[in-house]
Amino acid sequence: MTTLSDWLAAQPVDPKLASVVATMAAASAEIAEVLRRAPITGQTGLAGHTNVQGEAQKALDVISNDIVLNHIRHNPDISLLVSEELDEAVHIQNQGRFMVATDPLDGSSNLDVNVTVGTIFSVLDASKGLLQRGSSQLAAGYAAYGPATSLVVTFGQSTTVFTLDADGTFQLTQEGLQVSSSSGEYAINTARERLWDAATRGYVAENVAGETGPAGKRYNMRWVGSMVADIHRILMRGGIFMYPLDSETVSKGGRLRLLYEANPMALLIEAAGGRSTTGRERILDLVPTGIHQRVPVILGSAEEVTRVEGWYGRG
Ligand code: P6P
């Protein structure tokens, strides 16, 4: 087996950039350990305050953010941190070339029912400012805390999967992921159907119509309610993930955050041959307006995303 550190050493990238991925992997391994025992140690439940999104922070949101911050502070090549759990960007030190944008514990509302959650991260050149297009990302990845802890990373050209071993090292378990177009799985919160626009409604109706409908194949709907879990399934066996604009989210620009959810996931999906869009434009082309900006997110197999765009193109 190849360890993450051996694999990183063999990548044609700046070793300092590789060290940022290693830092986020080490933070994820520590978070995985905390999550595994949280019901025993009593670290579940609310932290008693809200984040910039106005969402009640769970104790583990804050703990995970602190773990990431602690690891980042020990990497001299990281100078800036943007986190869902912090209102403002944090200057770690002046010299480091890299900035990390992270959702330290995405999907944490699932923790109480022991469903997969994750840590999402994006790596950018700190000298180019906080609000860079997703296409400027130098690396992206996530840890999925499920039956196994998976670490999925890209430097933009391919998407690679590692699995956390009992000794705390990540072992290479899959290389060169390709988002399959043959899957008939779509992920969307169908309880919001009454809020959808015509494009979302039209695309989903084609899926529901199954083999005899315009899509010409049978579909299954999967919605975990944890972006990392849904995206990991799509990377591993195809499909499409949708959190589109609807009549409720339109006022905020969307539900999911651009810098530390949509952009890193879009880079991972596109590096695996998939596509990412807001419905009208490529996610990685968006120029952010703020570090906590929300956007519509539609990403997954190229064929499915293209069909969704066709519905948006109908006006
Ligand atoms: P809903 C989790 O809170 C999250 O940010 C994503 O991980 C997930 O995909 C989405 O929200 C779930 O949203 O509306 O189904 O609760």
Side-chain angles (χ1 to χ4, degrees):
M1 297 290 279
T2 303
T3 64
L4 173 67
S5 50
D6 290 344
W7 181 83
L8 285 172
Q11 297 313 298
V13 300
D14 178 341
K16 294 184 175 186
L17 172 60
S19 83
V20 179
V21 173
T23 292
M24 292 308 295
S28 301
E30 186 174 341
I31 292 169
E33 189 54 28
V34 168
L35 297 182
R36 246 170 30 83
R37 301 192 67 250
I40 298 166
T41 57
Q43 288 173 310
T44 55
L46 295 178
H49 36 87
T50 58
N51 63 17
V52 67
Q53 326 293 337
E55 293 163 347
Q57 284 180 305
K58 290 198 170 294
L60 287 167
D61 285 322
V62 176
I63 291 166
S64 300
N65 190 67
D66 290 345
I67 289 171
V68 168
L69 202 46
N70 180 44
H71 281 264
I72 280 183
R73 287 193 196 285
H74 288 86
N75 186 328
D77 296 311
I78 303 173
S79 57
L80 267 174
L81 172 69
V82 166
S83 167
E84 183 191 32
E85 302 308 327
L86 300 171
D87 297 0
E88 306 295 334
V90 173
H91 285 268
I92 308 293
Q93 56 228 326
N94 296 330
Q95 297 72 26
R97 190 182 133 208
F98 303 105
M99 163 176 123
V100 169
T102 184
D103 184 352
L105 198 60
D106 181 75
S108 55
S109 55
N110 292 289
L111 284 167
D112 303 341
V113 294
N114 199 28
V115 165
T116 295
V117 296
T119 298
I120 311 171
F121 64 91
S122 168
V123 185
L124 298 120
D125 183 334
S127 68
K128 294 183 179 172
L130 294 171
L131 304 179
Q132 301 174 51
R133 284 189 177 85
S135 52
S136 303
Q137 292 174 101
L138 302 170
Y142 63 80
Y145 309 113
T149 291
S150 301
L151 180 78
V152 183
V153 300
T154 184
F155 290 107
Q157 287 72 40
S158 62
T159 299
T160 308
V161 186
F162 300 85
T163 301
L164 184 62
D165 204 346
D167 65 357
T169 62
F170 281 98
Q171 301 291 344
L172 174 63
T173 44
Q174 197 159 347
E175 285 187 289
L177 257 62
Q178 287 297 307
V179 182
S180 161
S181 277
S182 60
S183 160
E185 289 182 330
Y186 65 101
I188 190 168
N189 181 346
T190 51
R192 302 179 70 89
E193 181 172 357
R194 71 189 184 287
L195 308 170
W196 291 347
D197 60 22
T200 302
R201 208 182 293 280
Y203 168 76
V204 172
E206 287 184 338
N207 292 359
V208 172
E211 300 91 333
T212 57
K217 69 180 180 184
R218 186 179 184 82
Y219 280 81
N220 249 337
M221 200 284 287
R222 291 281 182 276
W223 186 251
V224 180
S226 170
M227 187 185 198
V228 168
D230 282 312
I231 299 296
H232 192 65
R233 184 190 58 252
I234 289 161
L235 273 168
M236 300 304 283
R237 68 183 192 208
I240 185 170
F241 174 93
M242 302 174 77
Y243 215 114
L245 272 190
D246 61 36
S247 56
E248 231 171 47
T249 62
V250 64
S251 60
K252 295 181 183 170
R255 164 67 191 269
L256 303 176
R257 271 73 70 173
L258 177 56
L259 258 64
Y260 40 80
E261 289 175 337
N263 273 341
M265 291 308 198
L267 194 72
L268 287 156
I269 287 280
E270 293 200 3
R275 295 193 59 219
S276 70
T277 181
T278 62
R280 299 192 187 284
E281 50 192 316
R282 183 178 177 238
I283 287 174
L284 295 178
D285 292 341
L286 297 174
V287 178
T289 55
I291 62 172
H292 297 296
Q293 178 186 356
R294 296 171 188 260
V295 292
V297 178
I298 298 162
L299 42 76
S301 88
E303 181 182 277
E304 296 298 331
V305 170
T306 302
R307 190 151 59 85
V308 174
E309 286 177 326
W311 274 97
Y312 278 96
R314 299 184 195 189

